[in-house]
Amino acid sequence: MFNKADKTRRNRDGITLFDPSDFAGMHAAGALASQILDEIGVHVYPGQTTAVLDKFIQDQVEAAGAISATIGYKGYQHASCISINHVVCHGIPSDKRLKDGDILNIDVTVIVDGWYGDTSRMYVAGKPSRKAERLLDVTHESLMRAIDVVKPGNTFGDIGHAIQSFVEAERMSVVRDFCGHGLGHVFHAPPNVLHYGRAGTGPVLEEGMFFTIEPMVNLGRPETKVLADDWTAVTRDKSLSAQFEHSIGVTATGCEIFTLSKADRFHPTY
């Protein structure tokens, strides 16, 4: 059916199918979010605070004439989520100082001309441990393997299976409590993009779908818990966790990544 407000249509699963002309808006939003994450890397070092990193992000968003999607979202008051070590996602910036070897995910979502650009990637303060570096490599590779299967006719189960089968073969676990999501003119929309599943199951991928893929991978078990602040999610066993996220759009023959790093800094140790 059609949405008269934005001239898009929805398939039988309630997933919005955007027009090819909408890809440009998503590329613009994704490029800004990615550029901010490209530029923040030099500010990540032992002794730095995540509050300072968040202020940098907020200043960059405002300088670009864009809007932070997270400030004011369900009461959240920061321009980013910054998740350190065993924090899985939704870590709140603070005055706590980074230590040598800390790994952290920085997640930024911006709004540019009504389009949402959402991406996250990992950083290292100082030198990572070997096990942390391996976790980053596996998590990054799981995302890229998932993106490789995105094309019309495949299913969302294929995406989850690509991630789960690879991660578990590496003796790590996939978080099940959080998932990717549709986006476009809104922050979160159908579908839920699970990072585990069976090949050939779930809704069929169609040209014009916009969504994130953002696997969270733990060195230990997959279970998480949310702390008393109602935001911060951590691993129950306190094992290290990592996450990489891209926003993508399905094309007639495959997909386009809206949040590519133009400086080739998406992976911190490559």
Side-chain angles (χ1 to χ4, degrees):
M1 64 181 177
F2 286 88
N3 182 323
K4 294 181 180 179
D6 57 15
K7 298 181 181 179
T8 57
R9 58 194 178 92
R10 289 180 173 81
N11 70 2
R12 63 183 181 182
D13 296 301
I15 301 170
T16 298
L17 303 177
F18 290 91
D19 188 82
S21 63
D22 293 329
F23 277 66
M26 289 296 290
H27 273 294
L32 176 60
S34 182
Q35 177 186 331
I36 292 170
L37 292 186
D38 282 346
E39 294 174 354
I40 204 171
V42 295
H43 300 284
V44 177
Y45 49 80
Q48 180 64 283
T49 71
T50 54
V52 169
L53 297 177
D54 184 70
K55 182 62 165 58
F56 174 85
I57 292 167
Q58 183 175 350
D59 289 347
Q60 294 300 103
V61 173
E62 292 175 354
I67 299 170
S68 168
T70 54
I71 295 177
Y73 179 77
K74 296 185 178 180
Y76 195 76
Q77 293 301 316
H78 302 276
S80 64
C81 293
I82 303 180
S83 305
I84 306 171
N85 293 333
H86 74 291
V87 178
V88 175
C89 60
H90 304 158
I92 301 174
S94 73
D95 292 328
K96 182 178 179 181
R97 296 189 181 277
L98 297 173
K99 297 177 181 178
D100 185 45
D102 280 348
I103 62 171
L104 56 153
N105 176 272
I106 303 181
D107 191 341
V108 172
T109 307
V110 300
I111 308 171
V112 177
D113 295 328
W115 295 100
Y116 283 69
D118 186 3
T119 184
S120 80
R121 63 181 82 160
M122 298 299 296
Y123 298 84
V124 181
K127 182 176 176 58
S129 66
R130 180 64 192 100
K131 65 180 182 179
E133 189 170 15
R134 182 168 172 266
L135 172 64
L136 267 58
D137 289 346
V138 169
T139 307
H140 177 269
E141 178 65 16
S142 74
L143 170 61
M144 303 317 294
R145 288 183 180 225
I147 291 173
D148 282 345
V149 305
V150 176
K151 63 180 180 180
N154 283 351
T155 69
F156 282 95
D158 294 330
I159 294 174
H161 177 73
I163 295 167
Q164 181 183 8
S165 60
F166 173 70
V167 168
E168 292 182 352
E170 295 294 328
R171 295 176 171 256
M172 300 180 193
S173 65
V174 178
V175 170
R176 288 159 167 72
D177 296 332
F178 302 94
C179 62
H181 53 88
L183 79 173
H185 287 304
V186 296
F187 199 168
H188 298 98
N192 288 333
V193 183
L194 304 182
H195 303 122
Y196 61 94
R198 291 188 296 114
T201 64
V204 175
L205 296 164
E206 298 180 54
E207 182 180 2
M209 290 180 173
F210 295 167
F211 52 87
T212 70
I213 305 177
E214 46 187 295
M216 287 146 272
V217 176
N218 297 344
L219 270 179
R221 294 186 56 80
E223 292 84 8
T224 70
K225 65 178 180 179
V226 177
L227 301 184
D229 59 26
D230 290 330
W231 284 104
T232 308
V234 301
T235 56
R236 282 192 173 272
D237 61 6
K238 297 186 178 181
S239 62
L240 289 177
S241 185
Q243 177 186 23
F244 286 89
E245 174 186 13
H246 271 315
S247 295
I248 66 173
V250 183
T251 66
T253 57
C255 69
E256 293 180 9
I257 302 175
F258 299 131
T259 47
L260 284 173
S261 168
K262 291 184 178 179
D264 197 24
R265 296 174 184 164
F266 189 68
H267 190 296
T269 61
Y270 280 11

